[in-house]
Amino acid sequence: MAEVSFICKRTVISTRPVQPGKFFPLSVLDHIMEHNHLRIVFYYQLPVVRKIGELTMKLRESISEMLSSFPIVVGRLIKSPEGRWMIKCNDAGLRMVEARARVTLDEWLRNVDREKELKLVHWEEMFHKPYFWSTFYVQITEFETGGLAIGLSCTHLLSDPKCATMLIKAWADTTLGGKIISPPSFRPLPSRKQEGDTPNHQPYFQMINHYKSVFGKPYAVSDIKQTTFTLEFKHEMVKRLIEMAGALPNGHKQELTPTPFEVLSALFWTSISKAKGIKGSLIDMSVSLDTRRKLHLDEGFFGNCTVYNMVKGDGLNENEVSKAAAAIKEVVSEMNKDRVMDLIEFLEQENIENPPWMTGYHLICANLENADPYSAIFEGNSSPVRVSYYLEPAVGPGQVLIYPSPGGDADFGRVVMVTLGEHEAENVLNDALIQQFSPTLLMSFSKELS
Amino acid sequence: MASEVPQFSHSVKLKYVKLGYQYLVIPIIITLISLTLLQTGPEQIYQLWTSMRFTFFQAICFFFLAVYASTVFYMTRPRSVYLVDFALFKPPQSMRVSFAGFMEHARMGLFTEPKSVHFQMKILERSGLGEQTCLPPAIRYIPPCPNMALAREEAEFVIFSCVDTLFENTGIKPKDVDFLILNCSLFSPTPSLTAMVINKYKMRSNIKSFNLSGMGCSAGLISIDLAKDLLQQYPNSNAVVISTEILTPNVYKGKERAMLLPNCLFRMGGAAVLLSNRWSDRRRAKYRLSHVVRTHKGADDASYRCVTQEEDSEGNVGILLNIELMKIAGEALKSNITTIGPLVLPASEQILFAISLIRRKLFDSKLKPYIPDFKKAFEHFCIHAGGRAVIDELQKSLQLTAEQVEASRMTLHRFGNTSSSSLWYELGYIESKGRMKRGDRVWQIAFGSGFKCNSAVWKCNRTIETPVAGAWADCIDKYPVHIPEVVKL
């Protein structure tokens, strides 16, 4: 049933022209994400019910205002003489699609699945000539009785999930109050030379080896149809899970309490391994983190700061969530500033010709807890009722994205979006251990389409 | 079109002689008359009076004759037409078009015609436009969506915005408007745009409205001329003149190069002007209309066919510009200034022009005609910002300085070619720069399809104080900008 009808597609541009001749080089962390793109959906239930199209017009004005602070978003990709990507700030604009849904927001959220949700986010693959290709796409879908969905898609070359969320927050701030509360900062990643550190320690190889292992691998494709489901874990349940995971087999507690991310990722790691039929160990998993805080960069740093590291599954049992959580904790703690700088140095020296598939060969578990999507308020006090993140394309063994749930700041409530092959997804969803924590099924998958 | 001043004029000595001559002629004539008057002393004048021996009756008759003559004189004198104020449409910057954005859309639209896309790029590079010109939303859709509903939306947006500002600035009520004249060349729906305005503002039922369409970029001055004629006929009335061009229905979707130019140059714009012949407005009015001269070269076939709206071989409608356009524009301009010259030039220039004309007619028709120095007649020039070529050509042929064409060039840069309203943007520029002083004379020249060349002469009624609120207010400080010959895209 065609619930979402397309109205038009147009180009939106910033209100203030950029100074001509500006270029912005992309960093090494940007370059390695070339094969990926992000798609995010923010849902709002706004208090005021307007005439159809009025809200869209208001949002169009405010996005133009906001884009004056983001010249990179409206620029275009070109390659430098050395073959590195950079953005030419030429004010070409970004594409905006306007659509209408003939249902109310509640109805939509009850029946939504991956395919339907992706209809709310327009995306176009990179053109043969990227100079004419818009790197960002925004879709505004108006629902009946004041519902709104904002879809943002962008190439991962320019932005990681935290950065894309920041863009929407900036847009929301501009709509609500006329100015951006935390302006973005456009600067290169920190380098050792700048900081005056002399590396007199052994570089940390595990992370570098993980990156090395994906270099030179062929184009990743998925032969099975992938689907996505979303679960919400309430604060109390996550606390219980932490208690459970924190307890060692001998009854004592672990020294360091695991974080919500660690326990939830451990829970799904074990469950997914079971669903894939692996016994006696867990499949290798790649954990991704936003390293802005670790690198002492401000929250408004524009670009990629997401770093991946491998958690080995050997020696872990699919029934021991606590051990899995401990393993994840160890790996995460190794991703400190020094290690990340080592990685950046390695990547800069490496001169990779073909960008690798960072998300194509391992189960990905992404920590999006820093993203802070619920502060993006467009009107009144209406913070998003739901947010969905998609790390595309969906190839590889699977993905688990973990981010905060709406309502409550220091809450342990989390939303988990899992992308797996259909059959495995069913198994994970019916996993007794997961069901013990009574998650709410926010989005399921329709089994008829296969 | 480049008419050259005769060779001997280039020598320096003669230039000074000419300058001296222009400064001396009038004072010499005045001195001669005063000398004559002074020579005849007061007693001689009294003797002259008494010798005439008027009776009381004759004196009364002469008195009444004088009163009657002066009444007739005042009644038949043409009424002064005042320009009370004008309002410019300021397009929102969210509708602006950057060069890169324009080229991307051009490429998307003409995907299979790289040569035509390349041509548009070349035009844009040399156009003299800046990065803040605006296009209506319908043209920025992918693909462009030039339907009637969106055209009406654009019309409402542009026209109502100008008229609201005009009413606010002048304090006039919609019900007080006696004449409503609107010109919009390429969009003429039913009910007309004037009907749209009358409906929105609930104007009087006995308002006289005129909707001019199809008359090209010079239609703004045609509307002013029509308003002038009406205001001469009807005492104590006012007229609102709206000049705009609605771009939505006119985007050219084909690939013919001669028809792609308007796509590159035309941009959103509009102006609303309040004219009045009321005695009460004579103090607050900004300008007084001195002359309007209209020249139509339509009788000549080449001029007539120079700018035509037609379908290309694929059925796309567009405006075809002939390659002879500049030459024809030059001819039309020559005609126009031949008519306007005697009305505005000082006596010194007119005598020189007359001498040159006699010489050419009687002695040697090969002698180059004398180009009167129009800088003597006007303080400010508003040349229709039809394109960089038009301004360059007129600057050369009228021998204008860079400052005199600055208003035109900067309007082209900031607003693009807004068709008939560009003259008002240029006037707004001069005002915003604080250059408009009481007594200054302004010459507005516009060209249009047909081929027409129309000009209007205004005299500034009161010094315009800065800052001037309106379309130029937020960017006037950045101007003038240097516009490079070619902007590399």
Side-chain angles (χ1 to χ4, degrees), chain B residues 159-160 180 182 193-201 203 242:
Chain B
I159 295 171
F160 294 165
L180 178 66
L182 188 147
L193 295 174
T194 41
M196 183 180 85
V197 173
I198 292 169
N199 169 262
K200 159 89 173 165
Y201 293 96
M203 294 178 164
I242 305 170

Side-chain angles (χ1 to χ4, degrees), chain A residues 267-338:
Chain A
L267 181 66
F268 281 89
W269 188 16
T270 51
S271 179
I272 290 172
S273 299
K274 253 193 292 192
K276 286 189 184 287
I278 299 167
K279 297 205 185 301
S281 71
L282 298 175
I283 63 168
D284 287 343
M285 182 167 80
S286 172
V287 168
S288 84
L289 279 189
D290 169 36
T291 54
R292 278 175 177 79
R293 288 194 192 147
K294 302 209 177 179
L295 292 174
H296 304 304
L297 294 168
D298 47 73
E299 296 291 289
F301 178 87
F302 192 93
N304 275 286
C305 268
T306 305
V307 165
Y308 291 80
N309 201 355
M310 173 92 90
V311 192
K312 289 250 176 257
D314 315 316
L316 290 168
N317 197 313
E318 65 267 22
N319 294 316
E320 292 169 331
V321 174
S322 46
K323 270 197 178 169
I328 294 171
K329 193 182 210 32
E330 203 190 310
V331 167
V332 167
S333 64
E334 292 289 352
M335 291 161 87
N336 58 26
K337 179 172 179 188
D338 267 338

Side-chain angles (χ1 to χ4, degrees), chain A residues 35 210 212-220 354-357 360-362:
Chain A
H35 288 298
H210 173 56
K212 269 191 183 166
S213 73
V214 287
F215 288 173
K217 279 210 164 137
Y219 206 87
N354 294 317
W357 278 86
Y361 291 97
H362 306 94

Side-chain angles (χ1 to χ4, degrees), chain A residues 30-49:
Chain A
D30 292 326
H31 275 81
I32 51 169
M33 300 306 296
E34 190 180 322
H35 288 298
N36 293 89
H37 65 270
L38 290 169
R39 289 165 94 156
I40 310 177
V41 185
F42 278 56
Y43 292 99
Y44 293 86
Q45 181 63 52
L46 296 175
V48 179
V49 181

Side-chain angles (χ1 to χ4, degrees), chain B residues 68 120 205 265 338 379:
Chain B
Y68 179 71
Q120 287 189 74
S205 57
L265 300 178
T338 311
E379 278 71 41

